[in-house]
Every structure is written in C-alpha cells, then in structure tokens.
C-alpha cells in the first residue's frame, strides 16, 4: 500500500553505488529515514525534492520495524533554495538539522516532533528572508532546551531564588545573584546579556516575531545557550566547527 508523508529533508548521505539515505522529519510521522534508489544518477527525477532543507512530499510503502523506508517518489513543495546558496545560512540550517537528528536518536514523542516541525518552519522562513543568524540560533537552542526539559531559571537566582541577579551559571542552570556569584566565582554579566537570555527563555514559538522585534540577539547569548545544551543535554555537533569559521 502507498503511504504519503509531508516532511522536511534534514540531511542526505551517500549510500551504496548510486543510492542515498534521506533523513527527514515528517509532519505527521516524526523522524523517518528513506533509501532513495538511484538518487545520485544524473537523471534521477527525485533529486530536487531530496535536497536538504526542502519541504517535500514522499510516497513510499511503509515497512514496519524497518530502520528505513524505500522511497518511491519525491515531490518538491518548497525548495528553500536561499538556505543552500548562502554559506552562513546553509551552515546555520545544518546546525538545526544536526541538532534535530541528535534528538531523534533518543526518540521523541509525536507532540515533540510536531513542535520541532513548526519550529523549523518558522526559522527557515526567518533565515531565508533576513540576515539574523544569531537570532535564529539562540531562539532555536532556547526552544530545544525547553523540549528537552532543561529550561534555565530566569525568574531569580538559580541557587537561592533571590530576585536580584547579575550573573549566569551554566552548571547551576540559570541566573545567579551577587552573593552566590561571589561564592561560585561566576563573572558579572552586562544587563543587556541578562535581558536577552531572559527573553529567549520566556518566549514560546508563537512569540518569535515579538522577540525578534524587541531585542537584538548577540553572539554571546548564542554561545551561552549552546553551552547550556552541551552541559545539560550532552549536545555535540560536527557542524559547530564550521559555524565557528563562518559566523
Ligand atoms: Zn543566589
């Protein structure tokens, strides 16, 4: 029987002589990996719809319990071409893909998959239309931290709950007050950094435009949130090395 799924192509990897493995996030089905036979031959009609960052529709026969599905036909819905043609944008999009694939390894429930799908839709659009890679990365990391249950404490000191804060501790999980800062020898952070961090932690996906219009997200905050995911979620990405070079 024929199954059809709307999905986002996350990544593509050479497989056997002429085939490729296509890693995807399906709108209704969560993570799916497809074997695309003959994809690397010049005349493959499925090639465009299998390019990373495309929104596509795949037709296949569902094989239960199998590691990957056999692709019959791939139809391109939206190519998101600007994401592949600009070095910074393609690198940021690769970081998003690799993170999503990292999350697929531990399994994610359907609700989580739906949220990830919606998150990628919003951030691909932003990435295509504007030049705000730090905003995209920081907002993405913040929502990933939420999804994984590691949201930082930003309503007061993460150690003693005091409302007066002037620092951030990755290992303690959020804002830090002057007293605790002295004890754990954490640096003082500028108020602008604290504000960005708090806004990011508080914003839901539906508030993306409001957040984008009210704070300028800087590289420092991207790195703080990245370190948060390294420390609490064990996130390690190959694409970070290249990101360091281009951004
Ligand atoms: Zn404290």
């Amino acid at each position: 029987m024929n199954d059809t799924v709307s999905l986002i192509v996350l990544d593509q990897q050479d497989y056997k002589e002429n085939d490729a493995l296509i890693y995807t996030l399906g709108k209704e089905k969560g993570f799916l990996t497809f074997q695309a036979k003959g994809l690397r031959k010049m005349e493959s009609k499925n090639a465009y719809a299998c390019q990373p960052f495309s929104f596509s529709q795949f037709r296949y026969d569902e094989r239960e319990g199998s590691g990957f599905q056999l692709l019959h036909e791939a139809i391109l819905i939206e190519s998101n071409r600007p994401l592949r043609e600009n070095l910074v944008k393609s690198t940021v999009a690769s970081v998003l893909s690799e993170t999503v694939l990292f999350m697929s390894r531990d399994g994610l429930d359907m609700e989580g998959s739906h949220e990830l799908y919606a998150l990628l839709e919003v951030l691909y659009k932003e990435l295509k239309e504007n030049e705000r890679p730090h905003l995209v990365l920081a907002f993405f990391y913040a929502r990933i931290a939420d999804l994984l249950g590691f949201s930082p404490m930003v309503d007061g000191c993460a150690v003693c709950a005091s409302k007066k804060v002037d620092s951030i501790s990755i290992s303690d999980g959020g804002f830090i007050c002057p007293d605790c800062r002295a004890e754990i020898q954490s640096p003082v952070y500028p108020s602008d950094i604290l504000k960005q961090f708090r806004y990011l932690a508080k914003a839901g996906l539906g508030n993306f435009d409001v957040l984008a219009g009210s704070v300028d997200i800087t590289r420092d905050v991207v790195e703080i949130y990245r370190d948060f995911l390294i420390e609490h979620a064990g996130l390690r990405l190959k694409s970070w090395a290249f990101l360091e070079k281009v951004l």
Side-chain angles (χ1 to χ4, degrees):
M1 139 187 173
N2 265 328
D3 293 278
T4 305
V5 60
S6 297
L7 49 77
I8 298 173
V9 178
L10 298 170
D11 198 9
Q12 187 188 111
Q13 192 185 309
D14 292 352
Y15 185 68
K16 293 187 178 169
E17 186 86 358
N18 292 306
D19 301 355
L21 292 180
I22 315 294
Y23 300 96
T24 73
L25 179 65
K27 198 167 195 168
E28 305 92 4
K29 300 234 174 195
F31 297 104
L32 287 170
T33 303
F34 294 88
Q35 180 181 354
K37 285 192 178 287
L39 192 78
R40 287 151 61 219
K41 288 182 185 164
M42 289 296 279
E43 69 274 19
S44 170
K45 59 183 178 9
N46 290 331
Y48 283 113
C50 289
Q51 292 193 90
F53 322 135
S54 301
F55 294 148
S56 300
Q57 227 169 43
F58 280 16
R59 208 164 51 72
Y60 66 106
D61 285 327
E62 181 140 0
R63 297 191 294 189
E64 294 224 6
S66 171
F68 47 74
Q69 310 293 336
L70 201 57
L71 175 68
H72 291 321
E73 188 186 15
I75 300 157
L76 186 66
I77 305 296
E78 165 79 61
S79 85
N80 292 319
R81 208 166 133 183
L83 301 188
R84 290 186 300 274
E85 293 182 336
N86 172 296
L87 192 60
V88 170
K89 292 182 183 200
S90 69
T91 308
V92 170
S94 296
V95 168
L96 270 48
S97 278
E98 200 184 344
T99 307
V100 170
L101 286 169
F102 170 89
M103 294 174 75
S104 77
R105 288 194 320 217
D106 293 331
L108 196 66
D109 59 19
M110 262 315 142
E111 199 184 329
S113 298
H114 288 157
E115 281 180 45
L116 270 182
Y117 195 97
L119 179 61
L120 288 182
E121 280 183 316
V122 167
L123 294 182
Y124 278 8
K125 182 169 181 287
E126 161 64 30
L127 205 50
K128 273 197 296 186
E129 294 173 357
N130 301 302
E131 312 286 333
R132 300 186 287 193
H134 293 125
L135 168 69
V136 170
L137 284 167
F139 188 82
F140 179 72
Y141 291 155
R143 300 292 71 76
I144 295 299
D146 288 349
L147 269 170
L148 293 172
F150 298 115
S151 309
M153 162 69 163
V154 292
D155 289 321
C157 175
V159 177
C160 75
S162 162
K163 290 289 172 201
K164 196 174 168 231
V165 296
D166 66 356
S167 182
I168 298 169
S169 164
I170 305 287
S171 57
D172 287 303
F175 281 163
I176 295 294
C177 73
D179 290 343
C180 295
R181 170 170 56 73
E183 209 150 294
I184 63 173
Q185 297 182 331
S186 177
V188 175
Y189 281 76
S191 60
D192 176 55
I193 299 282
L194 298 175
K195 180 182 161 189
Q196 290 180 50
F197 193 67
R198 185 166 195 279
Y199 274 40
L200 282 163
K202 289 284 180 186
L205 182 55
N207 312 117
F208 178 77
D209 290 333
V210 178
L211 176 99
S214 49
V215 276
D216 286 330
I217 301 296
T218 57
R219 185 195 174 111
D220 297 316
V221 175
V222 175
E223 290 177 352
I224 293 168
Y225 246 116
R226 177 203 60 200
D227 291 347
F228 222 86
L229 290 174
I230 291 174
E231 169 97 11
H232 297 284
L235 186 66
R236 296 278 187 287
L237 304 181
K238 284 188 202 142
S239 49
W240 276 338
F242 198 64
L243 184 71
E244 284 281 316
K245 288 183 190 158
V246 300
L247 196 64

